Amino acid sequence: MKYIDEFQDPDLARRLLDDIHSTVTRPWALMEVCGGQTHTIIRHGIDQLLPDLVELIHGPGCPVCVTPLEVIDKALEIASRPDVIFCSFGDMLRVPGTGRDLFQVRSEGGDVRVVYSPLDALRIAQQNPRHEVVFFGIGFETTAPPNAMTVYQAKKLGIRNFSLLVSHVRVPPAIEAIMQSPSCRVQAFLAAGHVCSVMGTGEYPELAARHRVPIVVTGFEPLDILEGVRRAVHQLERGEHTVDNAYARAVRPEGNPAALAMLGDVFEVTDRAWRGIGVIPDSGWRLSARYRDFDAEHRFSVTGINTREPAECRSGEVLQGLLKPHECEAFGTTCTPRNPLGATMVSSEGACAAYYLYRRLEITPTRTARTPATAPTARTARTAERTATADAPLEASPVV
C-alpha cells in the first residue's frame, strides 16, 4: 500500500491547499466528472478544505446512476423470463426500476446472478446451452472494452446463447451537453483519469477551446484531486483554457490502442438517454451491425415499456450538478441506501450514497467569501466543527 499512501500524504496535501488558497482571488465553480472522484472528495472532506471561493460541483460520472430507467425496466423484463439467466455486476441489483429491482425479480424466481466479469457470463452461457444468458453491459469508456471483448469472443467461439444488454455512455458529449445548458455554472472540469487511460485526451482540446473551460485530467486519490483543482484554479486565474494531464502515470494522449481498436470493431456511436438528464446526441455506444445478433434488445424485442420515476426523487438535478444530495427533501428520510428512490443512492459511485455514507446529512450554511490569507484558520475551524458534529465516527479522516 506504500504507493497509494504516497497520494494521501497530509503534508503534501497541506502544501497543495496552501497553494490553492494563495492563488484564488474570485469565485470559481469546478465539476469533477467521475463519481469515484466525488466519493474521494466527500470521504476526505476536500470540498470543505478548499477556499470558500472554490466550489466543487458533482457531475454525472456514475455509470449506474445514468443508466436510463427504460433500460432498467427492459433488464427487469428480460430477467423475468423463465429461459433466461441474467448476469450483472452487483451494484445494479438494487437500482430501482418502475416499481421493482433485480433483487425482487430474483426473489420471484428469476435466475439473476452476480458476476465479476463479463467473461464469467460467457462461461455461464457455455455451461448452460439451453438457456439464454444475458449480461447487463453498462458504464463509461472504462467498462466498454471488456464488454466488447466478450462479445467478440462469443462470436469467435460460436456461442449463440449469449447476448449483451448495452447501456454504454461517453463522457465528452456529456461535457458538451452540460456546457450548453442555460443553467450551467461550470467553469472548469476535472476529467476522469480512467476514462482517458482508455480513450486518450484527443476529444478534449476542442471542448476546452470552444467553451473556454480548463479541463484537467485527474486521478482518484486525495492528492490527485487537490492537484487537479490546483491546476484548474491556476488556469482560471490566468484566463487560460487548455487540457492538462495531471494523471500522466496512467494516461497517455493516444489512450490504449488495443482497447480503441476493439471498441471500433464491436461498437458504433449512437444517441443515448441518460437517467435524469435526457437524450444526449452521440453520447453512447451500441453493438455494430457485425455483432447485432448479440444485442439483447434485438433478440428479446422488449417493447411496451412504460417508465415512471418517483415524483419525490430529485436525482436528475443531482446528476446535472444543480442540487447537492442533502438539499433533496427525501435524502436520508424516505430515500436511504436500504430503500433508495434513485440510483444515486444505490451506486458505490453515486453522489447521494457518498453524502449518506460519510455523514454529510445536513445542509451546510452558506459560506462567506474570505481572503486567502485567512484560509488556514477558517479551514481548521471548519474541520473541527465537522468532527464535533458528526453523527458517527468515520472510517477515514480528512487528508489534512
Side-chain angles (χ1 to χ4, degrees), residues 111-244:
D111 194 344
V112 178
R113 305 187 188 184
V114 174
V115 295
Y116 297 96
S117 163
L119 290 173
D120 292 342
L122 188 61
R123 191 157 39 249
I124 291 171
Q126 289 178 298
Q127 296 168 350
N128 296 270
R130 296 185 179 181
H131 287 76
E132 289 287 340
V133 176
V134 180
F135 179 73
F136 201 175
I138 70 158
F140 290 86
E141 293 94 331
T142 45
T143 56
N147 290 346
M149 173 60 75
T150 303
V151 174
Y152 174 84
Q153 289 291 336
K155 183 179 178 68
K156 181 179 179 180
L157 298 173
I159 303 174
R160 297 298 175 182
N161 64 322
F162 174 83
S163 59
L164 189 71
L165 181 59
V166 183
S167 187
H168 280 300
V169 290
R170 302 173 58 242
V171 169
I175 292 178
E176 177 75 34
I178 289 168
M179 293 307 301
Q180 290 180 350
S181 171
S183 57
C184 177
R185 298 187 298 110
V186 179
Q187 297 164 293
F189 286 92
L190 303 182
H194 51 8
V195 168
C196 294
S197 70
V198 175
M199 303 301 295
T201 58
E203 293 184 88
Y204 292 100
E206 183 183 353
L207 284 170
R210 184 165 63 253
H211 297 290
R212 301 184 66 82
V213 292
I215 299 177
V216 182
V217 181
T218 310
F220 305 90
E221 294 301 318
L223 295 187
D224 287 322
I225 302 296
L226 289 173
E227 175 63 6
V229 171
R230 188 189 72 83
R231 295 193 188 194
V233 167
H234 275 270
Q235 281 204 48
L236 289 167
E237 291 285 337
R238 293 194 300 260
E240 299 175 356
H241 43 83
T242 63
V243 177
D244 188 1

Side-chain angles (χ1 to χ4, degrees), residues 190-318:
L190 303 182
H194 51 8
V195 168
C196 294
S197 70
V198 175
M199 303 301 295
T201 58
E203 293 184 88
Y204 292 100
E206 183 183 353
L207 284 170
R210 184 165 63 253
H211 297 290
R212 301 184 66 82
V213 292
I215 299 177
V216 182
V217 181
T218 310
F220 305 90
E221 294 301 318
L223 295 187
D224 287 322
I225 302 296
L226 289 173
E227 175 63 6
V229 171
R230 188 189 72 83
R231 295 193 188 194
V233 167
H234 275 270
Q235 281 204 48
L236 289 167
E237 291 285 337
R238 293 194 300 260
E240 299 175 356
H241 43 83
T242 63
V243 177
D244 188 1
N245 182 10
Y247 199 41
R249 67 183 188 273
V251 173
R252 296 179 297 177
E254 68 275 17
N256 185 320
L260 291 172
M262 182 58 63
L263 290 172
D265 178 34
V266 176
F267 289 124
E268 62 186 21
V269 173
T270 186
D271 299 345
R272 181 67 70 183
W274 294 52
R275 189 169 189 171
I277 298 176
V279 176
I280 301 177
D282 297 330
S283 68
W285 277 306
R286 65 183 177 188
L287 290 173
S288 62
R290 290 185 59 199
Y291 298 91
R292 196 60 50 83
D293 290 344
F294 296 92
D295 190 328
E297 287 196 56
H298 286 269
R299 181 171 297 190
F300 293 94
S301 301
V302 181
T303 59
I305 297 294
N306 297 311
T307 61
R308 187 180 68 258
E309 292 275 11
E312 64 272 33
C313 180
R314 303 179 67 183
S315 60
E317 296 170 79
V318 173

Side-chain angles (χ1 to χ4, degrees), residues 51-75:
D52 292 340
L53 293 173
V54 177
E55 178 187 2
L56 293 181
I57 300 174
H58 312 315
C62 163
V64 174
C65 302
V66 301
T67 303
L69 183 58
E70 182 180 8
V71 175
I72 300 293
D73 285 349
K74 287 181 178 180

